[in-house]
Amino acid sequence: MRDVCVVGLGLIGGSVLRAAKAAGRTVWGAAELADAVKAEQDGFTVFPLDEALAKARDEDALVVLAVPLPAVPDVLRKVRPGTRLTDVTSVKGPVSDAVHRYAPEARFVGGHPMSGTSRSGWEAGRADLFRGAAWVVTPEQLDDVLIDVITLALDTGAHVVPTTPEEHDAAVARISHLPHVMAAVLAAVGADGGPLALALAAGSFGDGTRVAGSRPELVRAMCEGNRDALLGAVDDALGRLGAARGSLASTGGLAKTIDAGHQARQQLVTQPDRTPLTIDLTAPEALDALRSLGARGGRIIALNGTTAKAETS
Amino acid sequence: MRDVCVVGLGLIGGSVLRAAKAAGRTVWGAAELADAVKAEQDGFTVFPLDEALAKARDEDALVVLAVPLPAVPDVLRKVRPGTRLTDVTSVKGPVSDAVHRYAPEARFVGGHPMSGTSRSGWEAGRADLFRGAAWVVTPEQLDDVLIDVITLALDTGAHVVPTTPEEHDAAVARISHLPHVMAAVLAAVGADGGPLALALAAGSFGDGTRVAGSRPELVRAMCEGNRDALLGAVDDALGRLGAARGSLASTGGLAKTIDAGHQARQQLVTQPDRTPLTIDLTAPEALDALRSLGARGGRIIALNGTTAKAETS
């Protein structure tokens, strides 16, 4: 099993480090002082960044970039040529661009595990954070680094959703970044109602504003880093909310809005029927097959050598 | 202890019936066939509506109106003059108007327990549904029916928030009805992203769309019944979402939106310091003191004869 070096030991990076160790791998990390101290106290090996990256190149380990998007370029500048590299950042287009610019000789495959809580930092991490979660990969070529990343993701208990950076960023704008913006808007409109409104707030307001409790600087980095795709999603939300407003004002009815929302929620909670599929990763058309799998609702659930066991919905 | 007759045995009415019985009261209900059969199977007494209301008048019981807003006028037409009457409907202005119109001789105090789940119907009810919840009352005069309603609410484990119908409706538009509209919009924008978006949806999308799983006809009745106040809340949300859009497009930043949302969420989850207060319900200024209590973040937590033990934030 390939060694793993995780740079950034917050919620996600710290969970990757724990999960990779739990899967029997040799692991080490690099992190800011606060997280580094806590990780060492918990028995993990932490090096200064340069040393961690040098060791990774020497031992041909997989480096997992787990710092917030604004910190990505500084780390990339220090990555050695030929390094096996992946990331867990919540946008894929900008990270791919940054790798091409700052670490063009790294052997990079983008990744993004879809796990999060409103907590953050090393102590919020867990070895089982990714169990049952989707872990996106955005391969630009088919090689052994892709196999490394898929294997690591499967080792943590996740299933793997291959797609393109563009499709990933458009999707997460809708289901991850827009929810943060909507939660912030809803929370502020509620608080504008004064002490009575907050005193009466119950289930629906609590659920709808929960992620507004996340650390603002992390939410901003995530949302602002996906600006183009998020603008499209916000425009869709404005259009739908404006249509609801118009319908309520003119006819007094909200049928279209409420029914469409209910139908969409049913789609989310209803597990689709899944059709099994195997993909030979050495076949010439495998890269295209992989990159289109996510858009079809598909995922990889196991790897047997170079054969991926997948399923589509 | 006064007997209680509950009309409508869905989630809220069914829970009131159970909670009142658990508090040692004599209770009976009236309901549509499906809920009525299940309530009887669970050992409760259910009568046809006319009979239930006649018995309530004969025995000077408190009638709790727990049908959806569109069904309220039909029930009110059958309420006998002099009946002690309250309701648990999610809007207070329109219900108060309907009582004045269809049952002007009823002795009415509006009420609204702030409890709900995305489930509905008799089988979703629980005797402890109101424990720790806010139960709004909107008294128009100070009398023994108000004492009845406050006592019932406290008996179920709720605390009582007195306010006016107008202030109640404006507050719940923000913290209950707008969250349903926002959840519906978010769910639809997510589903528009296709199978990939739904496959990647995790915590934030799940939380933000949860209430879109509620029965659409109940959500519509609730939201459409509070049209005027909801329009104001939707306009505030449109304004804030539009400002976020403008800021993201022009400067790339979302600081104002995300920070305001975070601050509002902190206000929600941080318990305010509370100052104890007693209100003599026989004093001439007591009605004004009560009706302004909610707007100050206040609530009644116990009743001792005609003295209310309250606290403000």
Side-chain angles (χ1 to χ4, degrees), chain A residues 30-57:
Chain A
E32 290 185 329
L33 192 60
D35 288 332
V37 167
K38 289 178 206 148
E40 284 193 318
Q41 283 169 351
D42 286 347
F44 288 85
T45 306
V46 182
F47 295 112
L49 178 59
D50 282 322
E51 208 172 311
L53 291 174
K55 180 174 162 72
R57 183 67 194 91

Side-chain angles (χ1 to χ4, degrees), chain B residues 204-294:
Chain B
S204 63
F205 190 74
D207 285 346
T209 62
R210 183 157 302 121
V211 293
S214 313
R215 272 174 59 194
E217 63 275 23
L218 297 183
V219 174
R220 286 175 51 191
M222 184 172 82
C223 292
E224 293 168 359
N226 198 18
R227 174 180 176 172
D228 292 343
L230 181 54
L231 278 174
V234 171
D235 283 341
D236 281 2
L238 278 168
R240 284 188 175 272
L241 190 57
R245 202 267 175 221
S247 172
L248 186 62
S250 62
T251 71
L254 281 171
K256 209 173 153 190
T257 300
I258 299 300
D259 292 350
H262 185 69
Q263 216 174 339
R265 172 74 192 178
Q266 293 303 109
Q267 262 181 276
L268 177 71
V269 297
T270 308
Q271 285 293 326
D273 291 335
R274 299 190 184 282
T275 309
L277 181 79
T278 56
I279 301 174
D280 174 2
L281 296 181
T282 62
E285 72 283 5
L287 182 63
D288 286 342
L290 275 187
R291 285 162 59 99
S292 66
L293 189 62

Side-chain angles (χ1 to χ4, degrees), chain B residues 82-290:
Chain B
T83 296
R84 295 169 184 269
L85 182 67
T86 186
D87 76 311
V88 293
T89 319
S90 67
V91 288
K92 299 276 60 72
V95 171
S96 172
D97 293 347
V99 170
H100 285 292
R101 182 162 175 187
Y102 299 109
E105 292 175 273
R107 304 185 62 206
F108 175 70
V109 176
H112 181 207
M114 304 302 300
S115 287
T117 72
S118 60
R119 300 172 59 222
S120 54
W122 168 265
E123 61 272 38
R126 303 193 325 254
D128 65 352
L129 185 69
F130 309 111
R131 196 154 296 283
W135 189 310
V136 173
V137 296
T138 55
E140 297 176 30
Q141 62 281 320
L142 255 175
D143 61 14
D144 54 331
V145 182
L146 176 61
I147 304 285
D148 288 347
V149 176
I150 292 175
T151 305
L152 174 63
L154 293 172
D155 275 359
T156 68
H159 53 267
V160 174
V161 178
T163 185
T164 64
E166 297 70 29
E167 287 179 340
H168 167 274
D169 290 355
V172 296
R174 288 171 187 271
I175 54 83
S176 173
H177 304 159
L178 181 63
H180 279 90
V181 175
M182 298 278 274
V185 166
L186 182 59
V189 174
D192 284 348
L196 178 64
L198 292 180
L200 302 189
S204 63
F205 190 74
D207 285 346
T209 62
R210 183 157 302 121
V211 293
S214 313
R215 272 174 59 194
E217 63 275 23
L218 297 183
V219 174
R220 286 175 51 191
M222 184 172 82
C223 292
E224 293 168 359
N226 198 18
R227 174 180 176 172
D228 292 343
L230 181 54
L231 278 174
V234 171
D235 283 341
D236 281 2
L238 278 168
R240 284 188 175 272
L241 190 57
R245 202 267 175 221
S247 172
L248 186 62
S250 62
T251 71
L254 281 171
K256 209 173 153 190
T257 300
I258 299 300
D259 292 350
H262 185 69
Q263 216 174 339
R265 172 74 192 178
Q266 293 303 109
Q267 262 181 276
L268 177 71
V269 297
T270 308
Q271 285 293 326
D273 291 335
R274 299 190 184 282
T275 309
L277 181 79
T278 56
I279 301 174
D280 174 2
L281 296 181
T282 62
E285 72 283 5
L287 182 63
D288 286 342
L290 275 187

Side-chain angles (χ1 to χ4, degrees), chain A residues 11 116-120 210-211 213-215:
Chain A
L11 169 67
T117 73
S118 58
R119 300 172 59 223
S120 53
R210 183 157 302 123
V211 293
S214 313
R215 272 174 58 197

